[in-house]
Amino acid sequence: MMLHDIASPLPAGVATAWQQLQDVASELRSVVRGKDDVIELVLTALLAEGSILLEDVPGVGKTTLAKSVARLVDLDYQRIQCTPDLLPGDILGGSIYRPAVGEFEFRPGPVFCNLLVADEINRASPRTQSALLEAMAETQVTIEGKRYDLKHPFIVIATQNPAGFEGTFPLPESQLDRFLFRLKMDYPDPKSEIDLLVDQSSHEPVMDLQSRMHVDALELLQGWVRDIRVDRKIATYIVALATATRRDGRLRVGCSPRGCKMLLRASQARAVLMGRDYVLPDDVQHLAVSTLGHRVSSRHASIAMDENRQIIDSIVKQTEIPL
């Protein structure tokens, strides 16, 4: 079953790629039970060329979802398990001396891939976390004074345990801002959890997954995202939401212009996922909390991420949609 029916005719050559994306969604739902909303957001981020931060308690399927995406989309991917002793060079790579030829040779690290799965990213030290900052922001890294371009597309799916867990280092605001979405998996509903136990009693279904989408098809859809029509009223609505966050007395720092751009790109990507060639206010409303919740700062440091999301949700409900 498809995520959605096609709402408007697809451009020539895109229909096949779009169908492959629906196949990916269907396979993901068979492995990650009861999380259709999270799967939809992950695919939206994939189309928008945006990175994803999956946050929740251990054991709710964060890593399973990330590994499943990597298997279903034919991308060159690498996985790193973050630990306190992980060094920047373990991610970026470095020069190795070769005595046989008397010279140094650059050995690329895991970051030189299309899809990097960083498991438990907040167990890595702040120094190592920052090693990903340039890669996520500019699709390049600088090693030993030399710049290296990364593969295209380049996307990071990172998982982290909630703040306060033993041995974690909270991501700084500048690092959080590089993620398009910050999502919570949460516990599955009872029926989905029962299905999961029955299906995975003898083996892990993720190991049976086969590629359903080629990188060329993904790049075709990503190119279509950039061509999606955006009415000026949609841009006005996004700016109105951002302005409301800047004036809200509960927030110390509101949404930046970069946040507006990310919300717009995500809305374009959701339109493609739905099979449309135009953005609706509903796209903006649907994505605002996941896109802006980690880009604002509360006046009270003790306020949890969930409360920031609630503030954004209330702003969305109170902001008038331009007609």
Side-chain angles (χ1 to χ4, degrees):
M1 183 179 68
M2 296 184 183
L3 268 178
H4 300 279
D5 294 327
I6 297 176
S8 56
L10 298 177
V14 171
T16 300
W18 190 84
Q19 182 57 59
Q20 290 179 8
L21 186 65
Q22 306 308 306
D23 293 341
V24 170
S26 179
E27 291 287 342
L28 284 175
R29 288 196 299 272
S30 70
V31 175
V32 184
R33 297 303 185 100
K35 296 299 173 187
D36 290 7
D37 54 339
V38 176
I39 290 172
E40 182 179 304
L41 288 169
V42 167
L43 295 180
T44 298
L46 202 63
L47 292 175
E49 303 175 59
S51 295
I52 308 157
L53 180 62
L54 296 172
E55 179 186 55
D56 220 312
V57 297
V60 293
K62 303 187 299 294
T63 304
T64 298
L65 176 57
K67 289 170 62 177
S68 298
V69 172
R71 283 180 173 271
L72 289 168
V73 182
D74 185 23
L75 298 172
D76 176 21
Y77 81 97
Q78 297 285 338
R79 177 180 177 271
I80 53 175
Q81 177 64 52
C82 296
T83 57
D85 60 350
L86 190 72
L87 299 175
D90 297 328
I91 297 176
L92 304 180
S95 297
I96 305 296
Y97 183 70
R98 299 180 58 193
V101 295
E103 61 184 30
F104 286 90
E105 176 184 293
F106 176 70
R107 296 288 180 87
V111 76
F112 288 85
C113 63
N114 295 124
L115 178 60
L116 179 67
V117 178
D119 206 12
E120 297 187 298
I121 190 172
N122 60 339
R123 291 201 182 278
S125 67
R127 180 186 176 195
T128 302
Q129 291 174 5
S130 65
L132 281 173
L133 186 62
E134 182 184 9
M136 295 172 64
E138 304 177 30
T139 323
Q140 66 177 37
V141 294
T142 303
I143 305 171
E144 299 169 359
K146 185 175 181 180
R147 191 189 77 177
Y148 296 88
D149 292 327
L150 300 179
K151 293 184 177 181
H152 183 271
F154 174 72
I155 296 168
V156 174
I157 298 181
T159 71
Q160 74 168 3
N161 296 320
F165 269 52
E166 185 176 353
T168 58
F169 301 89
L171 293 174
E173 293 174 350
S174 60
Q175 184 77 38
L176 286 173
D177 192 54
R178 306 303 177 183
F179 289 98
L180 177 62
F181 295 146
R182 184 179 183 179
L183 308 176
K184 290 193 66 175
M185 291 289 290
D186 210 349
Y187 295 107
D189 61 86
K191 181 183 182 303
S192 297
E193 191 165 4
I194 292 170
D195 291 340
L196 182 149
L197 292 177
V198 172
D199 292 345
Q200 301 184 15
S201 60
S202 59
H203 74 291
E204 292 289 337
V206 67
M207 304 305 296
D208 299 331
L209 295 177
Q210 301 293 325
S211 173
R212 296 286 185 175
M213 187 175 202
H214 193 267
V215 61
D216 291 343
L218 177 60
E219 288 184 305
L220 184 63
L221 291 178
Q222 289 173 338
W224 187 30
V225 167
R226 295 177 179 272
D227 293 334
I228 292 298
R229 300 196 308 269
V230 179
D231 191 273
R232 188 174 182 85
K233 292 180 180 178
I234 296 294
T236 301
Y237 181 44
I238 291 175
V239 172
L241 291 174
T243 302
T245 66
R246 298 162 191 167
R247 295 175 178 174
D248 195 294
R250 296 167 292 181
L251 298 176
R252 175 174 56 87
V253 177
C255 172
S256 68
R258 179 191 291 155
C260 292
K261 291 172 62 178
M262 293 298 97
L263 181 53
L264 177 59
R265 180 54 51 82
S267 299
Q268 290 175 295
R270 186 172 188 267
V272 168
L273 187 63
M274 302 295 180
R276 284 186 269 105
D277 61 356
Y278 53 89
V279 176
L280 293 173
D282 180 65
D283 297 320
V284 178
Q285 291 178 320
H286 190 81
L287 300 170
V289 173
S290 298
T291 309
L292 305 183
H294 57 290
R295 290 186 163 88
V296 298
S297 298
S298 169
R299 292 190 181 277
H300 304 287
S302 60
I303 286 187
M305 179 61 191
D306 282 346
E307 295 186 59
N308 272 358
R309 293 169 64 91
Q310 291 171 10
I311 292 173
I312 297 297
D313 185 53
S314 68
I315 288 174
V316 170
K317 292 177 180 177
Q318 296 168 10
T319 303
E320 184 178 354
I321 300 175
L323 300 177

